[in-house]
């Protein structure tokens, strides 16, 4: 199986978990998996690297790293042309546009030819029975389609958040007859299977392409069991609680501002919150603005005002369980609406800690959290409502019994990543390589046991 | 110890900066900060090693310097100040890590990095911290690197010297030819002399002329600003440069609200000569640029729209003669043909009609309504300007010219791809207004689809009809005979065999809704004018009629419905509006003139109007007048001067007694027919009857059926 997974570990991206599990699931089903991603240097510029993520990649997975980089995230000014240094905005606009001729995706469109060449070479060396392309970037799909058109290798798309649906604002991101719309239709119409992360997005695609409805499957992100603590600590109400937020901070600054304003109001009104602190962990900004953007300014301002807010930097995957174990309440801050889930909601739910929501009421995270016994509910981004939610979450933390925590973990058990991806991978394998009658095996036997081979074409 | 120099193009984010400084210090670095911010923008408690406000540094160099750098782009502004500041230069040389805190500071770091090759040069705090860490971990590596990179690159050194020399010379010229100097007659005279001095190389003369022209313009000597460019052009041997200078002179002339017709003509002739040369050399891009310049100079709005006359209307053939003689223009307008003729309307299924326009659908509603429910028609509407794919294609006139000249191949491919689904669907495409959409739809071979284009009026005075491939148009519709005559004079191809079929069909108007009872006892003394938003409506002519009426009877007054003139349109429009405002300042306070402004309820507004005027110098039809006549107001139509005396015009479009030759004749007609309530009632009843039986939509619509359904 050729797995086009740009963002595969060690990229410190939230998508890396899903990719790792997908590759591991295929290997566990006896498949020989070759992952196609891009050079570590690219991720270094982006949201950084987390080598602990690679530790749990099955050693039999072969990884091909293409020398593709996002030049717009370059921070070494010595590598800039004079024109770029002088006209950064125009340069960036031209760069975004450059690859669009090949494929209608800013920045990544120009990678199409390299990806196609790479999959063709891999297929020549180890003929593939299946290609899986996961998006973003969407240009991955072009390479999967190419292998189908040239060598009839069937493919599936792990579309995650989809393309033509605007998951932040809702509605259509582009029309069906636009270049992107035409590409989407073309790729999906030949795909064996199409995976999406939640029901609203899946429903969107079933309505947009009714003839493909039976190929659309919801494959939620889920949580990794080693990321959640076996036990959580007992809150100390006298000493104050620790509220924690974990994950890439990408919401618009106004959302973070509302969350911090709500925190300040809650501290003024509720002595328990006033004794508590708020810790933010995760990546903030990329390239030149890493940890130096409007979000960071808001956090540092709150810190400077003595509001017990702190930023603890990115959280390596291997340390997640320990980090969760050091917190009493989890702050779930997410943008978007009914089409947006986010990956962290599953881990949050599975920790057994109280979860305070800071997201729209109509949100897919609400779907996941409904029924969780230690959840405050979602009230949007009104500062007053958020202030009340902090107090309510603090109270939940102090009042929660061991039974409540166990019930919370039980609620989330359905979302274990393996439980989400395992059945999906097995179903896809059955479609790709139908088992002969009477044959109990589930797929193509692996031909490459043993080594964790990395082919880094960028060095 | 690692020295870090932070450069900021704007005020840094205070809290992020504070937290970052702690990290730098923790990593054993000293930090200096310089940038475009006021000194008190930075918290004094930050414990920076040094701080330099470039805003303050610029102020120290004087007002002239501040004004000059203020005109530069943001990245250049930071560098222009930084490179002249001793402290920043010194810090830049000593630093181990040069850091741009924002995008506008990148250029300054890039330049400093050319001079200090040992340093890291990075964009952003996180990469800077990483560089500091790296230096701490590998001191030997960086010590060796420092030895090998201890001098600036030769290219950088050379550039610095050259730029400095140029700056000194440029500075002297700037100071000596500043607007302040050129405001004086001695200064202006001496500089005009310098521009026409003998034996000056062409490029230097052009540069000098442009500089002097700009300063003269800023110094209030607008005529001189034009003259100096014209003088320089006269003495310039290089033909392309000469054409550029003439074009700049003509444009400067128009911008000051004047039109030197001879200068403008020589400018577009020169541009056409340049276009022909590029075309002969096979450079379609440059040929198109010159053609575009020529066409823009021939069709400025100030000359044709914001003026009471038009040289094109007076003598189309003479005005366009240089274009007809140009090989590049001939090539651009040469028919590209179509593979097959348009098919007859389909039998056995409804006709698929695509109605399209670019930005103005004001005259389409009645047509769209009629065919929306028509069993023989399946209609779609396409607003090209609203279509993300088509809009950029329709906007680029110059690219269309380049394509017609054999270049810009991708435009053809993109247009083909974007339009083909529409052309495949439609049996007939009806393009309203002969502008962008008409040019775009004829850029590609329409196949068997029939293309119908309607031209109203103003388009005749633009470059668009020349960009339309007439061989790909099956039918060209006009709203009046006079417009058809004018356009045929501009486009001789329309009179040749195989030209599109020409039709005249009046605008679609629902006149019945204007038949409402007049209100008030003195309605017949109220003279109305609908629409005064463009100079061509010549509201001052209406004011003159009013003055004459009020000499006889002060009960007469003028009511103007619609927006006022757009003063931003051109200097010519502003000049006209200044005169109009002077008239209104005298008449409005006495109640003699009332400006009603824009209203959605025109039929309601017309109930108080007894006389309706068409004071325009040019019209295609003047819907407002006909609506007024239908409402029971007395129509009085100026013999539109653009067409007066020609075979067709206002006199052939309207009953002879409606049309007058002068404000005096207009006043006479009004006085005679509003003398008594009875005479006014009788005259207006006849006019309303004529309007309704001639131009109401039920009368006109069969003409559209014949055009669109019968082929």
């Amino acid at each position: 199986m050729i797995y086009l997974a740009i963002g595969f570990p060690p990229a410190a991206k939230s998508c890396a978990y899903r990719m790792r599990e997908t590759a591991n699931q295929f290997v566990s089903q006896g498949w020989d998996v070759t992952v196609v991603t891009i050079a570590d240097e690219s991720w270094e510029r982006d949201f950084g690297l987390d080598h602990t993520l690679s530790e749990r990649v099955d050693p039999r997975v072969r990884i091909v790293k293409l020398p593709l980089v996002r030049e717009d995230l370059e921070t070494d000014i010595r590598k800039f042309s004079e024109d770029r240094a002088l006209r950064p905005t125009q340069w960036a606009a031209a760069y975004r546009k450059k690859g669009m001729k090949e494929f209608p995706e800013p920045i990544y469109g120009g990678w199409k030819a390299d990806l196609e060449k790479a999959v063709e070479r891999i297929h020549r060396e180890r003929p593939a029975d299946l290609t899986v392309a996961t998006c973003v970037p969407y240009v991955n799909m072009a390479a999967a389609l190419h292998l189908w058109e040239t060598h009839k290798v069937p493919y599936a798309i792990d579309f995650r958040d989809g393309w033509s649906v605007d998951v932040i604002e809702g509605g259509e991101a582009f029309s069906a007859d636009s270049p992107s719309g035409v590409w989407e239709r073309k790729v999906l119409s030949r795909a064996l299977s199409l995976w999406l992360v939640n029901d609203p997005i899946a429903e969107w695609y079933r309505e947009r392409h009714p003839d493909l409805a039976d190929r659309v499957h919801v494959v939620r992100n889920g949580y990794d069991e080693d990321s959640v603590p076996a036990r959580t600590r007992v809150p100390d109400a006298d000493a104050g609680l620790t509220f924690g937020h974990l994950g890439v901070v990408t919401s618009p600054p106004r959302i973070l501002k509302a969350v911090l304003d709500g925190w300040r109001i809650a501290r003024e009104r509720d002595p328990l919150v006033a004794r508590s602190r708020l810790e933010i962990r995760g990546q903030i900004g990329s390239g030149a603005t890493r940890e130096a953007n409007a979000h960071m300014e808001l956090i540092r301002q709150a810190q400077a005002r003595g509001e017990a807010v702190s930023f603890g930097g990115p959280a390596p995957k291997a340390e997640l369980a320990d980090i969760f174990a050091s917190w009493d309440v989890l702050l779930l801050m997410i943008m978007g609406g009914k089409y947006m889930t986010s990956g962290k909601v599953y881990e949050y739910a599975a920790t057994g800690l109280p979860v305070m929501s800071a997201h729209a009421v109509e949100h897919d995270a609400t779907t996941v959290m409904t029924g969780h016994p230690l959840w405050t509910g979602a009230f949007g981004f009104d500062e007053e409502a958020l202030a009340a939610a902090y107090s309510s979450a603090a109270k939940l933390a102090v009042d929660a019994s061991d039974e409540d925590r166990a019930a919370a973990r039980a609620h989330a058990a359905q979302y274990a990543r393996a439980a989400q991806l395992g059945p999906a991978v097995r179903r896809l394998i059955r479609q790709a390589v139908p088992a002969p009658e009477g044959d109990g095996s589930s797929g193509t036997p692996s031909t490459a046991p043993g080594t964790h081979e990395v082919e880094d074409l960028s060095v | 110890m690692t020295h870090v120099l932070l450069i900021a193009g704007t005020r840094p984010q205070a809290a992020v900066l504070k937290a970052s400084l702690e990290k730098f210090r923790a990593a054993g670095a000293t930090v200096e900060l310089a940038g475009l911010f006021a000194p008190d923008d930075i918290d004094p408690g930050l414990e920076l090693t040094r701080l330099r406000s470039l805003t303050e540094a610029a102020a120290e160099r004087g007002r002239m310097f501040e004004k000059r750098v203020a005109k530069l782009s943001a990245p250049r502004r930071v560098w222009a100040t930084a490179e002249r500041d001793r402290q920043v230069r010194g810090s830049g040389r000593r630093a181990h890590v040069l850091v741009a805190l924002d995008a506008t500071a990148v250029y300054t770091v890039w330049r400093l990095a050319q001079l200090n090759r040992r340093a890291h040069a990075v964009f952003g705090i996180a990469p800077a911290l990483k560089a500091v860490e790296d230096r701490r971990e590998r001191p030997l590596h960086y010590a060796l690197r420092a030895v090998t990179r201890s001098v600036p690159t030769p290219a950088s050194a050379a550039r610095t010297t050259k730029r400095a020399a140029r700056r000194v010379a440029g500075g002297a010229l700037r100071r000596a030819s500043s607007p302040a100097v050129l405001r004086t007659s001695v200064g202006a005279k001496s500089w005009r002399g310098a521009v026409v001095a003998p034996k000056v190389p062409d490029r230097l003369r052009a540069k000098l002329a442009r500089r002097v022209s700009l300063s003269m313009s800023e110094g209030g000597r607008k005529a001189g600003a034009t003259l100096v460019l014209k003088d320089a052009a006269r003495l310039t041997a290089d033909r392309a440069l000469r054409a550029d200078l003439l074009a700049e002179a003509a444009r400067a002339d128009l911008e000051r609200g004047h039109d030197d017709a001879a200068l403008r003509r020589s400018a577009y002739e020169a541009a056409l000569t340049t276009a022909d040369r590029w075309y002969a050399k096979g450079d379609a891009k440059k040929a198109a640029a010159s053609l575009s310049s020529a066409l823009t100079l021939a069709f400025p709005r100030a000359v044709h729209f914001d003026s009471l006359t038009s040289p094109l209307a007076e003598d189309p053939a003479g005005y366009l003669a240089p274009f007809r003689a140009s090989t590049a223009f001939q090539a651009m307008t040469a028919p590209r043909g179509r593979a097959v003729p348009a098919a007859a309307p389909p039998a056995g299924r409804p006709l698929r009609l695509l109605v399209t326009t670019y930005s103005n659908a004001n005259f389409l509603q009645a047509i769209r309504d009629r065919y929306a429910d028509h069993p023989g028609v399946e209609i779609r509407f396409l607003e090209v300007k609203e279509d993300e794919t088509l809009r950029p294609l329709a906007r680029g006139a110059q690219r269309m010219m380049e394509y017609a000249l054999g270049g810009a191949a991708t435009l053809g491919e993109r247009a083909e791809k974007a339009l083909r689904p529409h052309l495949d669907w439609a049996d007939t495409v009806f393009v309203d207004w002969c502008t962008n959409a008409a040019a775009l739809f004829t850029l590609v071979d329409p196949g068997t689809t029939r293309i119908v284009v309607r031209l109203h009026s103003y388009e005749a005075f633009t470059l668009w009809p020349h960009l339309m491939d007439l061989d790909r148009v099956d039918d060209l519709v006009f709203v009046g005979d006079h417009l058809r005559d004018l356009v045929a004079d501009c486009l001789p191809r329309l009179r040749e065999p195989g030209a599109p079929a020409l039709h005249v069909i009046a605008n679609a108007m629902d006149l019945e809704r204007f038949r409402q009872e007049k209100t008030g006892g003195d309605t017949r003394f109220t003279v109305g004018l609908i629409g005064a938003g463009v100079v061509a409506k010549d509201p001052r002519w209406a004011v003159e009629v009013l003055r004459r009426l009020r000499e006889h009877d002060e009960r007469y007054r003028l009511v103007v419905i619609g927006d006022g003139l757009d003063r931003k349109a051109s200097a010519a429009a502003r000049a006209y509006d200044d005169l109009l405002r002077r008239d209104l300042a005298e008449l409005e306070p006495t109640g003699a003139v009332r400006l009603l402004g824009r209203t959605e309820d025109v039929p309601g507004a017309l109930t108080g109007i007894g006389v309706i005027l068409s004071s325009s110098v040019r019209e295609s039809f003047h819907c407002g007048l006909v609506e007024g006549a239908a409402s029971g107001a007395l129509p009085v139509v100026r013999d539109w001067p653009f067409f007066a005396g020609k075979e067709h015009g206002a006199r052939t479009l309207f009953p002879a007694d409606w049309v007058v030759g002068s404000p005096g004749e207009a006043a006479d007609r009004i006085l005679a027919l509003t003398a008594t309530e009875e005479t006014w009632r009788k005259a207006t009843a006849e006019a309303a009857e004529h309007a309704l039986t001639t131009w109401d939509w039920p009368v006109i619509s069969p003409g559209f059926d014949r055009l669109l359904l019968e082929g």
Side-chain angles (χ1 to χ4, degrees), chain A residues 44 74-78 80-82 84-88 177-179 287-297 300-301 303-304 311, chain B residues 13-16 19 23 73 75-76 100 103 106-107 109-111 113-114 116-119 121-127 130 149 159 163:
Chain A
E44 184 90 58
E74 177 61 78
T75 55
D76 183 352
I77 292 176
R78 289 197 184 279
F80 287 17
S81 65
E82 182 171 12
R84 176 175 180 179
L86 251 180
R87 283 171 279 273
D177 56 358
S178 65
T289 61
R290 182 184 295 178
E291 294 177 22
N293 58 5
H295 300 94
M296 206 63 209
E297 179 68 10
R300 295 299 188 202
Q301 282 173 359
Q303 194 173 13
F311 172 67
Chain B
Q13 301 183 99
V16 166
K23 288 186 185 171
S73 67
R76 281 196 192 278
V106 167
Y107 182 60
V109 168
W110 188 88
R111 294 297 301 267
Q114 307 290 306
N116 174 357
R117 296 171 60 223
R118 295 166 297 129
V122 296
F123 182 17
I125 297 273
K130 195 162 169 271
R149 296 186 176 187
R159 181 174 45 212
R163 280 190 181 169

Side-chain angles (χ1 to χ4, degrees), chain B residues 273-289 327-328 331 401-409:
Chain B
T273 307
T274 313
D276 290 351
R277 281 177 54 227
W278 287 122
Y279 179 64
K281 285 183 182 171
D283 191 331
K285 195 179 179 72
K286 287 183 175 164
T327 50
M401 294 177 201
E402 188 183 340
Y403 176 69
L405 292 172

Side-chain angles (χ1 to χ4, degrees), chain A residues 34-95:
Chain A
T34 302
V35 168
V36 179
T37 181
I38 59 171
D40 287 356
E41 188 201 346
S42 303
W43 304 117
E44 184 90 58
R45 290 179 188 181
D46 200 329
F47 281 111
L49 297 167
D50 178 359
H51 290 288
T52 68
L53 271 170
S54 303
E55 289 164 10
R56 294 177 70 93
V57 174
D58 191 297
R60 289 168 290 181
V61 173
R62 176 176 175 244
I63 302 168
V64 175
K65 295 180 180 176
L66 303 180
L68 296 170
V69 289
R70 275 188 59 179
E71 285 174 41
D72 58 323
L73 296 180
E74 177 61 78
T75 55
D76 183 352
I77 292 176
R78 289 197 184 279
K79 292 184 180 161
F80 287 17
S81 65
E82 182 171 12
D83 187 55
R84 176 175 180 179
L86 251 180
R87 283 171 279 273
T89 315
Q90 292 89 330
W91 181 91
Y95 178 73

Side-chain angles (χ1 to χ4, degrees), chain B residues 240 243-244 247 267-279 283-297 323 328 398 401 405:
Chain B
D244 287 348
Y268 67 72
E269 282 174 347
L272 286 167
T273 307
T274 313
D276 290 351
R277 281 177 54 227
W278 287 122
Y279 179 64
D283 191 331
K285 195 179 179 72
K286 287 183 175 164
S290 296
L291 259 186
S292 173
S293 171
L295 283 162
T296 326
L297 287 163
F323 287 92
Q398 190 171 316
M401 294 177 201
L405 292 172

